[in-house]
Amino acid sequence: DSGVTQTPKHLITATGQRVTLRCSPRSGDLSVYWYQQSLDQGLQFLIQYYNGEERAKGNILERFSAQQFPDLHSELNLSSLELGDSALYFCASSGLGLAGTGSYNEQFFGPGTRLTVL
Amino acid sequence: AQKITQTQPGMFVQEKEAVTLDCTYDTSDPSYGLFWYKQPSSGEMIFLIYQGSYDQQNATEGRYSLNFQKARKSANLVISASQLGDSAMYFCAMRGEGNTGKLIFGQGTTLQVKP
């Protein structure tokens, strides 16, 4: 158990709908990362938050948004869903917001939310 | 731009033997970190091992070791004494540029351990 929790575990919805994925990081971790894993795109970084503020953005669609709340949990909102959004969405957390020279920033992954868009 | 390449889509290994999973990377950042994660069929991502670009020695964690060849830009994972439970997808990843912790992943290698 990584200590990162994600809900729900599975989500089935229809095209055009909007869903919210929730993530609780490990106790004390300030950084939250969202990743999308799909068959055609592989594992892709979406967005990072550090202590409530957006820190880095990756290949995140404009239809997607995220936020991190004062209690450090994070939500990923996916709207106007398309068939191609079907994927496994991971949340990860780490203690550091920045990666210092020579240091590492191990990320602990949650179990993922499997989204199926029909 | 940074890139991670895993050229072996699938690998087979006999139980109790060693196996090497290949990973090459490309980056212009002099400071970087390389990671290996394991993803069993259940789907979770399990951190295995880390290598920093300035580390003088190759990283080891139990049966996992990382064969880091900086000049060749390779970071191969070596699993010794393979077990049936090692059957999984393995991802090589690099910490992204720009002093954030985001990870860039390779396409993964599926390892099957035969009894």
Side-chain angles (χ1 to χ4, degrees):
Chain A
D1 186 349
S2 67
V4 179
T5 60
Q6 287 187 250
T7 56
K9 196 171 175 64
H10 300 278
L11 199 48
I12 302 175
T13 188
T15 54
Q17 295 298 304
R18 182 179 189 273
V19 297
T20 298
L21 313 184
R22 183 188 168 103
C23 167
S24 292
R26 289 188 322 153
S27 177
D29 282 356
L30 299 178
S31 268
V32 169
Y33 308 80
W34 287 96
Y35 294 88
Q36 179 195 59
Q37 185 178 27
S38 62
L39 282 174
D40 51 347
Q41 297 290 331
L43 257 167
Q44 289 202 96
F45 166 74
L46 294 178
I47 197 164
Q48 176 198 1
Y49 277 82
Y50 174 71
N51 204 20
E53 293 191 2
E54 183 183 304
R55 179 57 61 92
K57 224 169 184 176
N59 299 323
I60 187 166
L61 300 171
E62 285 192 11
R63 300 183 285 109
F64 296 0
S65 65
Q67 54 184 328
Q68 186 179 28
F69 295 87
D71 67 351
L72 300 177
H73 90 271
S74 178
E75 293 181 355
L76 179 67
N77 301 296
L78 315 177
S79 61
S80 302
L81 285 168
E82 301 175 359
L83 296 178
D85 297 329
S86 295
L88 185 55
Y89 291 85
F90 284 108
C91 166
S93 76
S94 71
L96 299 174
L98 301 176
T101 301
S103 67
Y104 78 94
N105 191 5
E106 178 185 341
Q107 291 181 25
F108 297 88
F109 280 73
T113 293
R114 186 167 295 281
L115 173 66
T116 303
V117 182
L118 302 175
Chain B
Q2 290 182 306
K3 190 176 180 182
I4 292 279
T5 303
Q6 295 180 255
T7 57
Q8 307 154 312
M11 292 278 288
F12 289 93
V13 65
Q14 206 67 36
E15 193 178 8
K16 298 180 185 176
E17 291 186 350
V19 63
T20 298
L21 306 183
D22 295 341
C23 172
T24 57
Y25 61 91
D26 193 18
T27 181
S28 57
D29 196 336
S31 175
Y32 52 89
L34 296 157
F35 303 75
W36 278 91
Y37 282 85
K38 172 184 177 182
Q39 186 177 38
S41 57
S42 51
E44 71 266 35
M45 294 288 286
I46 302 167
F47 167 76
L48 295 178
I49 196 166
Y50 166 84
Q51 180 82 45
S53 59
Y54 293 113
D55 292 344
Q56 296 297 313
Q57 294 190 332
N58 287 344
T60 60
E61 288 286 348
R63 294 186 298 111
Y64 304 108
S65 60
L66 203 152
N67 184 2
F68 182 47
Q69 298 188 46
K70 200 169 180 176
R72 293 188 174 186
K73 293 190 175 181
S74 74
N76 299 338
L77 177 70
V78 180
I79 306 174
S80 63
S82 296
Q83 302 172 356
L84 295 179
D86 294 334
S87 294
M89 178 81 93
Y90 288 81
F91 290 96
C92 181
M94 168 183 283
R95 190 176 61 228
E97 292 169 341
N99 210 24
T100 72
K102 68 180 183 183
L103 296 178
I104 297 165
F105 286 87
Q107 289 301 102
T109 295
T110 301
L111 176 66
Q112 292 192 40
V113 180
K114 294 182 173 182

